[in-house]
């Protein structure tokens, strides 16, 4: 039994969260995991029992690459134990985005904060953050991330 962890990430923070979840499943729960970018993940879908999709939120929207994976493979994912993790810099998720995530029928969803590092952002991203008076920083709560990862094996990630 294998769990596919799909990691969509533009600047690396969400990828690091996805890798930590895969590591927690492997080390603490003995789950075989593979971490892939959404473009490489489809080749694994026929061989896995569970899928964890980790995607960031940018400018109050779900990451396009991660969302495209969910949209394109909706039928295949319906036959799997699906879990979705969204990460962002905001303290909470916009209810509209949560409703979109819920529409995929995942067994569980989570919103966990990510990191927003100024050095990794382009001019437009920096301008957007300045306009909304956003803050830079690493907001990841590794204990919460690991706890969510551990909980997945009890709900079908094996």
């Amino acid at each position: 039994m294998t769990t596919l962890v799909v990691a969509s990430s533009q600047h690396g923070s969400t990828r690091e969260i996805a890798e930590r979840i895969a590591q927690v499943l492997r080390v603490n729960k003995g789950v075989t995991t593979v971490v892939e970018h959404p473009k490489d993940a489809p080749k694994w879908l026929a061989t896995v029992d569970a899928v964890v999709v980790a995607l960031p939120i940018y400018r109050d929207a779900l990451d396009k690459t991660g969302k495209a994976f969910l949209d394109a493979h909706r039928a295949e994912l319906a036959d799997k134990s699906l879990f979705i993790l969204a990460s962002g810099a905001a303290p909470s998720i916009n209810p509209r985005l949560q409703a979109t995530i819920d529409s995929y029928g995942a067994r569980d969803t989570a919103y966990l904060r990510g990191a927003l590092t100024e050095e990794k952002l382009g001019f437009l991203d920096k301008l957007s953050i300045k306009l909304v008076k956003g803050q830079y920083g690493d907001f990841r709560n590794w204990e919460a991330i690991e706890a969510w990862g551990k909980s997945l094996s009890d709900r079908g990630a094996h």
Side-chain angles (χ1 to χ4, degrees):
M1 306 265 189
T2 301
T3 294
L4 171 64
V5 181
V6 181
S8 184
S9 186
Q10 291 183 18
H11 305 292
S13 172
T14 304
R15 173 79 187 204
E16 290 172 355
I17 293 170
E19 289 173 350
R20 181 72 61 95
I21 289 168
Q23 178 186 27
V24 164
L25 286 168
R26 272 191 316 271
V27 172
N28 295 310
K29 300 295 184 173
V31 176
T32 302
T33 60
V34 61
V35 180
E36 290 286 354
H37 185 274
K39 292 179 182 174
D40 300 320
K43 67 184 176 191
W44 291 94
L45 285 177
T47 64
V48 299
D49 303 300
V51 179
V52 178
V53 178
L55 70 163
I57 295 173
Y58 296 116
R59 296 186 190 141
D60 203 29
L62 296 174
D63 173 68
K64 291 178 185 176
T65 305
K67 186 174 182 317
F69 171 81
L70 287 166
D71 290 337
H73 301 285
R74 189 181 286 262
E76 294 161 284
L77 293 170
D79 295 332
K80 310 285 181 194
S81 296
L82 175 64
F83 305 92
I84 301 174
L85 165 71
S87 70
S92 62
I93 188 170
N94 178 317
R96 175 185 51 80
L97 293 178
Q98 184 63 56
T100 299
I101 291 169
D102 291 343
S103 75
Y104 292 102
R107 287 189 180 200
D108 191 28
T109 66
Y111 175 76
L112 297 167
R113 295 188 73 191
L116 189 59
T117 309
E118 186 174 11
E119 304 81 49
K120 294 183 178 182
L121 301 177
F123 174 76
L124 290 178
D125 288 326
K126 290 177 185 178
L127 181 60
S128 295
I129 291 162
K130 186 174 183 177
L131 290 173
V132 299
K133 298 180 178 151
Q135 295 180 341
Y136 295 106
D138 189 342
F139 307 107
R140 294 174 289 189
N141 178 335
W142 292 110
E143 288 180 15
I145 291 165
E146 290 176 4
W148 190 72
K150 287 177 186 175
S151 75
L152 299 182
S153 68
D154 298 331
R155 291 177 282 141
H158 42 72

